[in-house]
Structures are given as C-alpha cells and as structure tokens.
C-alpha cells in the first residue's frame, strides 16, 4: 500500500510520473518510416519464392564410444543444462467438500421462509400470442418515402380489420418481415423485453382479438394482431419446493465447508510451525509431497496457485502454514514447506548418461548437417535436385511455387531458411537446408524470387502499415533508452516482486 501523502507530496509524485511518461512518449512518437523504406519493406514482406524440396530422413543413432575427455568437455561447456532445478518438499492437509459429512436436509419451515423472501423469482411472466405485418422504411428515408409507408400501413390496417379478413393471408402477401412472412406474420408467444419498445407498448395495451392501427418503430410500420393472452401467475410453494431444496442444500453444504475450514485455520494459527496438531484435531490425514520442482511436480504440486505459494520466499524462509489454497471448486489445501533445495549444479557422475546421450545426439546431428552441406554444394554447382534425390533413393522433390514468407512448409524453420538464402541468378538455383523437429533435414532449391507488389497495396493499408512499423520502432527506441540508462545507474531487480 502507498503510505499517506500530503497534498504537496502527491503533486510531486504526479509531476514525476508525467515527466517520465512524457519522455517515453516523446521518444516513442519520434520514430518514422520513409517512403523508400516502406517500398523496400513491402517488396520484402510480400516476396514469394518458387522452391523444390526434398526431405532427408533423421540421422541414424550414434552408437560409437564417447571418450572420457569428450564427456568432460561437453559437461563443462553445457553446465547450465545439467543443473538441478529448485525444489521443495511440503506437508499438507486437504479439505474436500465431497468427503465432509453432508448437512441435514432443510425442513419445510426453512424452505417456506426462503420462498416468502424470494417470492418474486417464481412469477411466470405474462405472454401474448402475436402476429404482425411490417411495412419497412428506413429511418433516414425522406419525407415522401415515410409518408408512402405510413399510408400503405393504414390501408393494410383497415383491410385487416374488415369483417372476415384473413390476417395471415395479408401478412404473406404484404409483410416485409422475411422471418415471419411465410408463417402469416406469426411471432409466437411474446413476453416483455423481447420486442422493441413501441411494438411492446402497443401489444401489451391491446385486448385479445384486437388489431392495431399502424405502430412506428425503428424498422418501419407494424400492424399488430393480438391472438391470445396468457396471464402471469405466481408459482406455489409446492411447485418450486424441489428447486428451493436444492438451492438450500447447496448453501448449507458451502456453510459446512466454510465452518470446517475456519476451524482448521484457527487451529493452525495456534501452532503455525506444524500442521500435525491441526490435522489430528480435525481428523485429517497429514500428507507429504516432494521433493518436486516447478517443472516436474506430481498431483496437486502442478497446480499454479499452490506453486506460487510453495516457491515463495515467505513460505521457504518462514516455514509457516499457508492460507487455504483452492485446487479446484470444493477442494482446497493448507501447505507448509518442510524442505527447500536451491537450484544447483549436478555432479558429472550423476548426469553421465545424459551427457553421453547429448554428445551422441550432437555428433549425429553434425554428421547429418555435413551431409546436407555437401548436397547443397552439389546443387549450387548445377546438379539437379531430382538427381540428388534419386541418388539417395528418396522420392522426387516437391515443387512449391510462390511460397510466401512465414509459410509453415513443412515447418516454420524451413520457410525461414528458404527466405534466408540469396536470390538465385538467372537460370541458376540457390540451395540450402533446415533441420526439422524430428531430426531430419529439409534440402531445398530456390529457382525464382518474386518481390512484393508495391503499387498493388492500397494507400490506406500502406499508411496503416507505416504507422504500425513506426510504433514498433518507437517502442524499440524506448527500450534502448531504458537499457542505456540502466547501464549508467545501479539497478537491483527483485524478480519475485514483479
């Protein structure tokens, strides 16, 4: 919480905040993009490339021996990969609503009291069975069009009120409401709040069997027929007793859980350094979990809310019992951290097998990339990709014309590599490769590059894109300014407080 401030202190705080924000806004808004830069960006962003693609299979597993020197060298160079993450052990008790004794069923006196308090909930609203004929006219139409629509509505109203008139036939022949026209204008049962106000006011002022004169709404002119009325009625206690019983039972169940949890918390406050006494007094099993880290936590340890508490400095340093943590609706836990192990380096002896596997995987990947480099060199010297695929007993290349930037063909990394190689000279190919997620390699050859169409981008889109790029550049400028200032000032960032 912010400590109390005098009026002058508050003004100074606001003034400093404004000064900081004005600096950031001034730097951010000062960025701009020239027309030449926009032309180049459009050509690059809209660029398409014609590509042929061959997928090389993943490399065979490396089973050769790994020397002790290589093991030590890899371990030293990749020590960060073999650090044991921070971990904790916890003890906890769980409050599960489904396992607590159910409350007694509510009696009739309680339910009748609830019924009387909430009687208005159980009133069935009045409904009216209506049909209508719509003469549609735009609210912005001129006076002549408005008058013509009103005159037509008056004629239709007179026809509908004539003895023996067929309202449904008139609606099918004349209504502009496509939703009800084919049904003879039938709108079904209408309750208050379902229609626009002028229509509703007229409908609920009519008597059963009446036909209204023209009624104006935002849609045009309506002629309304009220065919029947179903008056609202109060549901009796007996009709809603089961619903009230279910609702009261839920309230009582929540009260039981709340009271049980409150008693448990009170007991933990008497002995905050151990959960055992409270668990014993409340007849709850004292459970243990761990050690576990944030990334390999089993069961309730994987719950984000629990992890926030378990790995907090307060829980680790103080060893106090937490407040109830909701794991899921109706289920909560109270925890206490009993042991904590900070992130630390693991000795080579413990991770030796992992290091050997990493060395072998690296050797296999390097061998695959070396082979792909050799194939790229063959393509760049003029050998056809089809011939290379045949020599490796692989399917013919996939021909992909007009690949756009960023297309996942077959993965995003491949598209990035396709657009990273230089544009080929006329009649030549520009080859490259990219590693796939399964360890295989995509070998490709670019045969043609088509720049984006600068003239084809509408002026409005160009202006919007130019503004967006300037905003991104401005944000980068602000970050660069902050980084520069931080280098000149000693700043300590407490990450857990962010």
């Amino acid at each position: 919480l912010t400590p109390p401030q005098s009026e002058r202190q508050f003004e100074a705080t606001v003034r400093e905040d404004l000064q900081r924000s004005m600096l950031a806004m001034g730097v951010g808004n000062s960025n701009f993009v020239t027309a030449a830069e926009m032309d180049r960006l459009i050509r690059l962003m809209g660029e398409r490339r014609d590509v042929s693609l061959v997928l090389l299979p993943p490399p065979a597993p490396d089973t050769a021996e790994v020397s002790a020197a290589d093991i030590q060298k890899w371990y030293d160079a990749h020590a960060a990969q073999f650090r044991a993450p921070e971990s904790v052990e916890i003890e906890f008790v769980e409050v599960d609503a489904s396992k607590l004794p159910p409350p007694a069923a509510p009696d009739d006196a309680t339910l009748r009291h609830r019924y009387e308090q909430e009687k208005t909930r159980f009133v069935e609203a009045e409904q009216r069975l209506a049909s209508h004929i719509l003469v549609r006219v735009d609210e912005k139409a001129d006076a002549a069009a408005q008058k013509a629509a009103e005159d037509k509505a008056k004629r239709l109203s007179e026809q509908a009120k004539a003895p023996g008139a067929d309202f449904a036939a008139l609606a099918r022949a004349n209504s502009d409401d496509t939703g009800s026209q084919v049904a003879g204008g039938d709108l079904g049962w209408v309750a208050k709040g379902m229609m626009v106000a002028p229509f509703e006011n007229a409908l609920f002022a009519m008597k059963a069997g009446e036909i209204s004169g023209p009624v104006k709404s935002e849609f045009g002119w309506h002629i309304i027929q009220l065919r029947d009325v179903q008056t609202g009625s109060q549901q009796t206690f007996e009709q809603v007793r089961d619903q009230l019983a279910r609702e009261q039972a839920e309230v009582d169940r929540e009260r039981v859980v709340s009271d049980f949890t409150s008693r448990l918390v009170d007991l933990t406050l008497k002995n905050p350094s151990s959960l055992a006494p409270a668990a014993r007094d409340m007849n709850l099993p004292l459970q243990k979990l761990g050690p576990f880290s944030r990334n390999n936590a089993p069961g309730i340890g994987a719950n984000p809310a629990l992890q926030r508490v378990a790995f907090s400095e307060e829980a680790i340093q103080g060893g106090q019992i937490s407040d109830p943590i909701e794991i899921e609706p109706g289920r909560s836990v109270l925890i206490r951290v009993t042991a904590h192990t900070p992130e630390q380096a693991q000795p080579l002896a413990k991770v030796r097998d992992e290091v050997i596997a990493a060395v072998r995987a690296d050797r296999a990947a390097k061998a695959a990339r070396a082979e792909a480099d050799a194939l790229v060199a063959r393509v760049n010297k003029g050998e056809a990709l089809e011939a290379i695929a045949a020599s490796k007993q692989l399917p013919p290349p996939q021909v992909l014309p007009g690949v756009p930037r960023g297309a996942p063909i077959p993965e995003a990394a491949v598209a990035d590599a396709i657009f990273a190689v230089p544009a080929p000279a006329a009649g030549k190919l520009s080859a490259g490769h990219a590693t796939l997620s399964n360890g295989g390699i995509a070998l490709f050859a670019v045969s043609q590059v088509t720049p984006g169409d600068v003239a084809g981008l509408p002026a409005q889109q160009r202006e919007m894109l130019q503004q967006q790029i300037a905003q991104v550049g401005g944000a980068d400028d602000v970050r660069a300014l902050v980084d520069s200032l931080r280098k000149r000032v000693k700043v300590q960032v407490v990450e857990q407080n962010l």
Side-chain angles (χ1 to χ4, degrees):
L1 295 176
T2 304
Q5 293 180 318
S6 67
E7 183 177 344
R8 183 168 297 178
Q9 288 173 325
F10 177 73
E11 289 178 353
T13 300
V14 173
R15 186 176 293 108
E16 290 174 1
D17 289 343
L18 288 172
Q19 288 174 342
R20 283 194 292 268
S21 64
M22 288 176 67
L23 175 62
M25 289 176 59
V27 173
N29 293 337
S30 67
N31 194 280
F32 60 91
V33 183
T34 67
E37 288 175 323
M38 276 304 302
D39 289 348
R40 183 169 181 270
L41 283 169
I42 293 169
R43 285 194 291 268
L44 288 173
M45 293 169 65
E47 182 179 301
R48 291 178 175 269
R49 295 191 167 200
D50 296 347
V51 183
S52 296
L53 187 70
V54 172
L55 300 181
L56 306 178
D62 185 313
T63 57
E65 289 295 323
V66 181
S67 68
D70 286 343
I71 293 174
Q72 187 66 53
K73 182 179 178 181
W74 186 272
Y75 174 78
D76 292 340
H78 302 84
Q81 297 178 11
F82 303 106
R83 293 182 65 83
E86 178 186 21
S87 64
V88 294
E89 297 179 47
I90 64 171
E91 62 180 14
F92 68 96
V93 292
E94 180 178 331
V95 179
D96 189 339
S98 65
K99 296 179 181 178
L100 295 179
D107 57 25
D108 269 16
T110 301
L111 297 181
R112 285 187 181 279
H113 179 69
R114 188 183 182 99
Y115 173 76
E116 292 299 329
Q117 285 186 318
E118 304 176 11
K119 210 168 185 177
T120 55
R121 288 175 50 204
F122 306 109
V123 176
E124 292 181 345
E126 178 182 329
Q127 298 186 83
R128 299 197 160 207
L129 188 62
S131 298
H132 83 140
I133 300 170
L134 172 65
V135 179
R136 191 179 297 278
V137 62
D138 194 309
E139 286 187 303
K140 298 179 181 179
D142 58 29
Q146 296 280 3
K147 184 67 168 59
E150 183 180 7
D151 290 345
K152 180 180 178 181
K154 287 179 179 178
R155 289 194 302 273
L156 288 171
S157 176
E158 292 170 0
Q159 293 176 39
K161 292 177 180 179
D166 187 340
F167 190 94
L170 277 173
R172 279 191 288 269
N174 298 281
S175 181
D176 295 326
D177 179 11
T178 55
S180 65
Q181 179 193 25
V182 294
D186 184 16
L187 295 173
W189 289 99
V190 177
K192 286 188 176 181
M194 294 175 60
M195 297 295 179
V196 292
F199 187 104
E200 181 179 288
N201 293 338
L203 176 65
F204 280 85
M206 295 168 63
K207 296 179 181 179
E210 278 190 333
I211 295 173
S212 73
V215 176
K216 183 71 168 64
S217 81
E218 61 194 81
F219 302 105
W221 292 92
H222 305 264
I223 298 93
I224 305 171
Q225 179 190 39
L226 176 57
R227 291 148 52 201
D228 198 359
V229 176
Q230 191 176 75
T231 58
S233 61
Q234 175 72 51
Q235 291 179 284
T236 65
F237 170 76
E238 287 72 20
Q239 288 175 310
V240 298
R241 186 189 185 287
D242 290 344
Q243 178 184 345
L244 288 168
R246 288 192 301 271
E247 293 172 353
Q248 187 63 45
E250 180 64 22
V251 170
D252 292 342
R253 186 186 69 83
E254 291 176 356
R255 184 179 296 114
V256 167
V257 175
S258 177
D259 291 345
F260 185 91
T261 305
S262 295
R263 293 199 304 273
L264 175 61
V265 170
D266 289 343
L267 289 171
T268 64
L269 293 175
K270 294 178 181 178
N271 192 346
S273 61
S274 175
L275 265 170
R280 183 181 60 251
D281 291 349
M282 297 300 291
N283 197 27
L284 291 172
L286 181 62
Q287 305 179 65
K288 299 182 183 297
L289 184 67
F292 63 89
S293 68
R294 289 181 175 87
N295 298 325
N296 72 345
I300 64 168
N303 182 275
L306 185 144
Q307 286 194 6
R308 280 194 294 272
V309 175
F311 286 93
S312 68
E313 185 175 353
E314 179 183 358
I316 292 170
Q317 298 298 331
Q320 304 297 306
I321 299 170
S322 74
D323 292 331
I325 304 167
E326 187 178 48
I327 301 300
E328 59 187 40
R331 186 181 174 209
S332 61
V333 295
L334 280 72
I335 73 168
R336 189 177 76 86
V337 176
T338 57
H340 169 253
T341 304
E343 180 185 346
Q344 58 185 323
Q346 299 184 83
L348 176 57
K350 188 174 181 179
V351 296
R352 183 181 181 84
D353 290 344
E354 296 176 42
V355 173
I356 291 173
V359 171
R360 285 175 170 165
D362 181 65
R363 290 195 310 209
K366 285 180 177 177
R369 287 195 297 270
E371 180 184 9
D373 287 339
L375 297 179
V376 167
R378 287 167 59 179
V379 174
N380 287 335
K381 288 179 181 178
E383 187 172 352
L385 199 58
E386 291 82 355
I388 291 176
S391 70
K392 293 290 183 180
Q393 298 181 335
L394 296 172
Q398 303 175 48
V399 179
L400 306 172
V403 174
R405 190 179 293 275
I409 302 176
E411 296 177 4
V414 180
D416 291 343
I418 287 171
F419 280 85
V421 298
K428 301 289 185 180
L429 297 175
S430 184
H433 65 78
T435 303
L436 301 171
S437 56
N438 67 354
I441 289 181
L443 176 68
F444 60 84
V446 177
S447 57
Q448 183 174 336
V449 173
T450 304
D453 182 10
V454 174
L457 186 68
Q460 187 175 4
Q461 290 184 25
R462 179 188 174 105
E463 183 180 355
M464 185 181 301
L465 180 61
Q466 191 166 350
Q467 291 175 353
Q468 291 172 345
I469 294 171
Q471 290 172 357
V472 172
D476 289 341
D477 291 343
V478 173
R479 281 193 293 271
L481 173 63
V482 173
D483 291 342
S484 174
L485 293 174
R486 280 187 170 184
K487 291 177 182 178
R488 295 159 50 188
V489 179
K490 185 177 180 180
V491 178
Q492 181 180 0
V493 178
V494 184
E495 295 293 342
Q496 62 264 31
N497 291 343
L498 296 180

